[in-house]
Amino acid sequence: MMIGLLSFLTIIACGGEKTEESPASNAGSKGIGPVKSVTLGTLDQAMADRGKKQFEAKCAACHKFEEKVVGPALQDVTLRRTPEWIMNMILNPIEMTQKDPIGQELLGEHLTQMTFQNVKEEEAREILEYFRKMDLK
Amino acid sequence: MLKKSNLILVTLGITLFTFLPNCKKGAATATLASDAASRVYVAPGEKDEVYAFLSGGFSGQMSVYGIPSARLFKIIPVFSVFPENGYGFDEETKDMLKTTHGYVPWDDSHHVEASMTDGKQDGRWMFLNANNTPRLARIDLKSFETKEILEIPNTSGNHASPFATENTEYLMAATRFSVPVPQASVPIDSFSKGGFKGTVTMVKVDKNTGRLSVELQVLVPGFNYDLSHCGKKKSHDWCFFSSYNSEQAHKMLEVGASKKDKDFILAFNWVRAKECKDQGKAYNFGGDYVNNFKEENKPAVSTRLSGVKMLNPKDCPGMMYYMPTPKSPHGTDVDSTGEYIVGGGKLASVIPVHSFSKMMEVKDKKEHHSTEIEGIPVLKYESTLAGEVKKPCLGPLHTEFDGQGYAYTSCFVSSEVVKWKLGTWEVVQHLPAYYSVGHLSIVGGSSTEPYGKYLIAMNKITKDRYLPVGMELPQSAQLYDISSGKAELLSDFPTVGEPHYSQMIPAKLIMDKTAKLFPLEENKHPYATKSENDARIVKLGNTTHIYMTAIRSHFKPDIIEARTGETLYFHVTNLEQDYDIPHGFAIGGAPNMTNLLIMPGETRTFKWVAPKPGIYPFYCTDFCSALHQEMQQYIRVSP
């Protein structure tokens, strides 16, 4: 995981050159970043609670569930995107908005660069769990 | 021998002659014909090889340049307020400028010193002196921020400061303007009767935290102590201070302080001084002073302290010796081996070099003493002399070493740098300086292992070098490549304030250790708001605390109501956890307060007394995103 984070930081540091490498289809895209594959089980309440805390500290300033504020509304995000895509967007937002077709489109729509909030990979997983919980409501 | 007053006239005459031809010609130098441009060119995206930390002279700050490009990267506020980022204004940093004289928002900063471990630069801290209101600062090289300022009591004009011992055990600070110690109103002519004194202060540096404390002061004769450098290797236990005005003149100093053929370099054994202190030979002495410490991401804590341990030289034999040095010495520099102590005499016609080994051999032999001043033996000039560089230039001041057996001395009057060989004392090269050069700096040049390669000369005058911009021209630094046998001028560049002295450090020692953000989880600021959900307004009588967050591209809370005369504290936390995304905060028309720049994860506080009724906007000043312009809101003030 450290290697993943490090290489991702390097990409930010270097400003990320634009390359043309769009996947054939956006549906089911896993995005670009350290997360290659996520296995989902039944909802882990404790994990979701930790994710809620992370979300409130680092994400809630720009995201609500029911409405767009700075960034898009997050209700049903786990239905719209793959778990990998969500985690990569949290962990690697700059490259995602530069290279990932969905990310590019979202930046065009919301016009504010999503920030990397120094979230660790396991914390991103907890945030994903919180999103799953919210989408079960 | 010429009388000093005549010599001054003669040197002034020579100055004019040497100046004018240079000025008329401009600086059409050999540089044009060489490949110098490509050697200072750092391509877009490439990084410089060296950090140069230049003191700001009368700006009171320190600036950071890249070498060889000479690009200015940052001005670090130290002793002067800095409206650009709120230093000295906000609730977190205003106490950094507290002194026993009150709030002193300016100073005159001359000497930059790098922290060292075993005589080698370690890239941890920079230290800087404040001349005017004696203080000494520690700048942390992780965040490039001033973390601590210590006032020095019982001194006036903290010029010979802050020079570090080989392992940064101590920083030295000595008096420029001798005064009555303790302070008193006495007739000024009592200076000439020995009524004024100087002090040499040993400031201890905690080896883990860098925290500063006054360990000991030594009461020394009332001369002007000018500069210092500490020993290395075999001379590890010693520091050397140049002095002038041993005549103790108190008026018309340019004549009165230049009467004697020689003044002194004071050799000070700090290890012995500590020993005497530990043996109880120092006595309790007064003196109030202030220590200001800013822990990371917390408000500065200002502590008023009182009293020091004072030691008289006569109570600690073997601690101090005077080495006569011609003539009104200014610089005193110790070479990389620790053997040679080089004097630089403003009015001297030679560069005198003392030998540490000789000094050790003769220091306690009566036949090598000429006299004694207030308990300090005066050694005979010839007894410690290793050699003299004859007729090097006019007005030799400061010397740096390349570690290859060569020394470089700046010459103020003849505007040049002379390269000479240690041991043979032969001048091997004259390099023109534009103009009136003061200090020099070689990368690692005051350590035991100079990295060599680059030398900068810091100049006082730049007539005809740059586009004119009114009467005051920028001062300048001049970059030379000294890596091969013959030093070459590469470029010169205007600087901020007066580039008085500098330390240059290879970039690789620092660049990977710099901080990128303050982790929010570790934010221990008492008024931090770590989540937007916690943003709130708390009213306590006529005082209101606004716990505000900033993130691209909004503040919360963003609508604020107040009444005229109410005191508001805006505690703004930057919630970003992304490198290089500070947010700014400024309120329209706010008096006595400037902009704040709040780093990612940092909390800073802006105090504001609600003025007459109306609507007052506040906004982010540091361009943060496409919607930066929307990062604005209002305070309503009602009657």
Side-chain angles (χ1 to χ4, degrees):
Chain A
M1 188 207 82
M2 277 315 293
I3 293 166
L5 270 179
L6 282 177
S7 59
F8 146 67
L9 286 171
T10 312
I11 288 160
I12 292 187
C14 299
E17 288 169 28
K18 294 223 182 227
T19 53
E20 305 297 328
E21 45 168 280
S22 19
S25 160
N26 295 343
S29 164
K30 294 187 173 185
I32 305 160
V35 182
K36 305 299 174 209
S37 142
V38 178
T39 314
L40 300 176
T42 50
L43 189 80
D44 183 331
Q45 288 290 348
M47 196 195 257
D49 288 347
R50 290 198 296 277
K52 180 170 192 266
K53 261 182 127 172
Q54 284 291 331
F55 179 83
E56 283 170 355
K58 295 186 165 177
C59 317
C62 296
H63 290 283
K64 289 187 191 304
F65 284 86
E66 60 280 8
E67 59 172 334
K68 168 202 158 45
V69 274
V70 177
L74 293 177
Q75 197 66 59
D76 295 335
V77 67
T78 59
L79 309 180
R80 294 196 297 274
R81 315 271 181 249
T82 65
E84 294 83 1
W85 192 97
I86 292 170
M87 284 180 65
N88 283 328
M89 191 67 193
I90 295 169
L91 294 168
N92 188 24
I94 294 185
E95 196 185 11
M96 284 286 279
T97 48
Q98 281 173 351
K99 294 183 186 169
D100 180 80
I102 306 170
Q104 286 172 330
E105 201 174 303
L106 287 168
L107 179 62
E109 186 184 340
H110 298 278
L111 294 172
T112 297
Q113 172 64 54
M114 176 162 158
T115 66
F116 171 60
Q117 285 290 83
N118 208 19
V119 174
K120 296 178 181 67
E121 194 167 323
E122 66 261 30
E123 293 168 343
R125 178 67 187 84
E126 291 163 358
I127 294 167
L128 171 68
E129 203 65 4
Y130 173 55
F131 290 169
R132 291 180 71 207
K133 183 181 166 185
M134 294 301 284
D135 288 347
L136 284 175
K137 279 182 181 170
Chain B
M1 178 60 77
L2 280 170
K3 277 195 175 163
K4 241 185 199 179
S5 54
N6 289 339
L7 188 67
I8 292 169
L9 291 176
V10 170
T11 49
L12 276 177
I14 295 170
T15 314
L16 289 174
F17 279 116
T18 49
F19 242 92
L20 290 175
N22 279 341
C23 293
K24 268 189 188 155
K25 266 191 228 159
T29 66
T31 309
L32 295 174
S34 78
D35 63 344
S38 67
R39 284 148 70 190
V40 299
Y41 181 69
V42 177
E46 295 293 313
K47 306 233 172 18
D48 279 286
E49 188 179 338
V50 165
Y51 282 100
F53 297 86
L54 273 65
S55 62
F58 45 76
S59 86
Q61 318 291 39
M62 181 188 281
S63 45
V64 187
Y65 292 80
I67 297 294
S69 73
R71 295 180 292 196
L72 172 65
F73 296 146
K74 189 170 197 170
I75 297 170
I76 303 172
V78 186
F79 293 114
S80 298
V81 293
F82 201 52
E84 182 178 318
N85 72 1
Y87 179 84
F89 292 94
D90 69 336
E91 299 303 300
E92 282 71 25
T93 60
K94 67 182 191 189
D95 281 0
M96 292 298 280
L97 301 176
K98 266 195 183 168
T99 73
T100 54
H101 303 273
Y103 179 74
V104 180
W106 166 84
D107 220 299
D108 179 23
S109 288
H110 279 197
H111 307 119
V112 188
E113 184 77 332
S115 60
M116 290 182 290
T117 303
D118 298 330
K120 298 175 198 96
Q121 296 175 321
D122 59 24
R124 298 171 80 194
W125 305 300
M126 281 287 163
F127 303 98
L128 188 66
N129 72 323
N131 255 335
N132 184 58
T133 304
R135 286 175 280 180
L136 203 156
R138 176 168 56 88
I139 293 101
D140 181 62
L141 293 184
K142 238 178 106 192
S143 58
F144 284 59
E145 287 177 351
T146 304
K147 290 289 188 231
E148 187 168 8
I149 292 180
L150 177 71
E151 192 176 358
I152 312 291
N154 306 317
T155 187
S156 177
N158 176 40
H159 193 269
S161 164
F163 293 94
T165 55
E166 194 177 6
N167 211 16
T168 321
E169 296 97 334
Y170 293 98
L171 299 169
M172 297 295 154
T175 300
R176 171 173 165 190
F177 308 110
S178 281
V179 287
V181 179
Q183 268 287 9
S185 171
V186 298
I188 290 174
D189 65 9
S190 54
F191 188 5
S192 304
K193 297 164 193 153
F196 288 27
K197 296 285 176 195
T199 52
V200 171
T201 306
M202 284 168 61
V203 173
K204 189 175 164 62
V205 182
D206 183 285
K207 68 176 192 300
N208 297 315
T209 63
R211 290 299 305 271
L212 307 173
S213 56
V214 175
E215 170 90 45
L216 176 68
Q217 291 195 311
V218 183
L219 197 64
V220 289
F223 306 156
N224 297 64
Y225 295 87
D226 205 11
L227 272 161
S228 173
H229 262 100
C230 291
K232 306 169 175 93
K233 297 178 179 171
K234 62 179 138 180
S235 53
H236 166 273
D237 295 1
W238 297 77
C239 293
F240 303 92
F241 298 80
S242 62
S243 68
Y244 62 96
N245 195 17
S246 54
E247 295 85 350
Q248 297 189 315
H250 65 279
K251 56 183 177 185
M252 283 294 288
L253 251 60
E254 58 182 314
V255 180
S258 309
K259 288 201 169 120
K260 290 187 186 167
D261 189 43
K262 291 187 178 64
D263 291 299
F264 301 112
I265 285 175
L266 173 68
F268 170 48
N269 185 327
W270 58 269
V271 174
R272 173 81 183 124
K274 174 75 166 67
E275 199 175 274
C276 288
K277 183 200 166 195
D278 293 345
Q279 290 165 359
K281 290 177 178 165
Y283 51 101
N284 290 327
F285 196 84
D288 293 334
Y289 59 108
V290 167
N291 174 241
N292 306 317
F293 172 56
K294 188 176 181 327
E295 211 174 323
E296 210 141 86
N297 210 354
K298 275 190 177 176
V301 175
S302 184
T303 312
R304 204 182 163 102
L305 300 158
S306 194
V308 297
K309 285 283 179 193
M310 185 70 83
L311 186 60
N312 287 342
K314 67 174 171 46
D315 297 330
C316 186
M319 174 178 69
M320 282 180 164
Y321 300 87
Y322 277 124
M323 296 193 285
T325 300
K327 177 163 194 174
S328 298
H330 184 56
T332 167
D333 299 281
V334 183
D335 85 308
S336 329
T337 68
E339 167 63 12
Y340 296 121
I341 302 129
V342 182
K346 299 186 286 284
L347 306 173
S349 56
V350 296
I351 300 171
V353 183
H354 296 283
S355 154
F356 178 74
S357 316
K358 281 192 172 180
M359 186 195 92
M360 292 304 280
E361 207 181 298
V362 306
K363 68 184 174 58
D364 295 317
K365 294 181 179 156
K366 285 277 182 214
E367 65 271 28
H368 292 281
H369 294 189
S370 61
T371 179
E372 191 177 289
I373 302 172
E374 297 180 32
I376 304 173
V378 179
L379 307 178
K380 289 179 179 163
Y381 178 59
E382 293 74 18
S383 298
T384 59
L385 195 70
E388 288 175 336
V389 183
K390 306 275 189 201
K391 294 197 173 171
C393 58
L394 300 177
L397 289 187
H398 303 287
T399 303
E400 290 262 316
F401 308 91
D402 67 358
Q404 309 294 318
Y406 291 96
Y408 293 77
T409 299
S410 60
C411 306
F412 182 83
V413 176
S414 53
S415 287
E416 62 185 318
V417 176
V418 291
K419 178 180 177 179
W420 51 275
K421 196 161 170 49
L422 285 157
T424 69
W425 326 118
E426 287 166 308
V427 172
V428 296
Q429 198 180 353
H430 289 266
L431 293 149
Y434 309 101
Y435 307 98
S436 301
V437 55
H439 278 272
L440 302 173
S441 174
I442 286 176
V443 187
S446 53
S447 73
T448 56
E449 282 183 3
Y451 167 87
K453 189 152 180 184
Y454 295 114
L455 173 139
I456 58 174
M458 285 154 274
N459 304 332
K460 314 293 180 200
I461 309 281
T462 59
K463 283 184 211 305
D464 93 285
R465 297 296 286 177
Y466 306 122
L467 287 176
V469 287
M471 284 78 79
E472 194 199 0
L473 299 175
Q475 301 189 340
S476 80
Q478 219 173 292
L479 175 69
Y480 301 87
D481 183 336
I482 56 166
S483 58
S484 59
K486 203 166 176 240
E488 279 179 88
L489 176 64
L490 295 180
S491 75
D492 64 15
F493 54 100
T495 57
V496 179
E498 185 220 352
H500 196 90
Y501 186 39
S502 161
Q503 293 277 302
M504 294 198 285
I505 300 187
K508 61 175 176 355
L509 257 178
I510 298 177
M511 60 186 288
D512 296 328
K513 296 185 206 154
T514 56
K516 296 187 164 54
L517 49 87
F518 296 112
L520 261 182
E521 306 83 56
E522 293 167 25
N523 182 331
K524 301 267 192 322
H525 193 288
Y527 293 101
T529 310
K530 297 191 195 181
S531 154
E532 197 169 285
N533 287 353
D534 297 332
R536 64 198 186 277
I537 298 173
V538 178
K539 290 208 181 255
L540 300 164
N542 204 33
T543 300
T544 300
H545 292 269
I546 297 141
Y547 294 80
M548 182 177 276
T549 59
I551 194 164
R552 279 167 278 183
S553 313
H554 62 278
F555 295 103
K556 193 184 171 187
D558 55 0
I559 298 288
I560 292 154
E561 299 272 353
R563 293 201 177 273
T564 296
E566 188 179 328
T567 300
L568 286 85
Y569 289 94
F570 292 86
H571 309 289
V572 188
T573 301
N574 179 350
L575 289 182
E576 308 273 355
Q577 290 290 276
D578 188 359
Y579 189 22
D580 196 25
I581 309 288
H583 287 292
F585 183 83
I587 300 178
N592 309 319
M593 189 61 220
T594 58
N595 181 42
L596 283 190
L597 284 186
I598 309 148
M599 299 303 122
E602 188 184 29
T603 304
R604 292 183 74 176
T605 301
F606 188 122
K607 181 185 174 185
W608 189 65
V609 178
K612 64 182 183 187
I615 299 291
Y616 296 85
F618 62 93
Y619 68 105
C620 172
T621 54
D622 191 331
F623 214 102
C624 58
S625 71
L627 299 174
H628 162 74
Q629 202 70 1
E630 281 74 5
M631 197 164 172
Q632 62 177 54
Q633 269 306 345
Y634 296 107
I635 308 161
R636 177 192 178 187
V637 178
S638 309

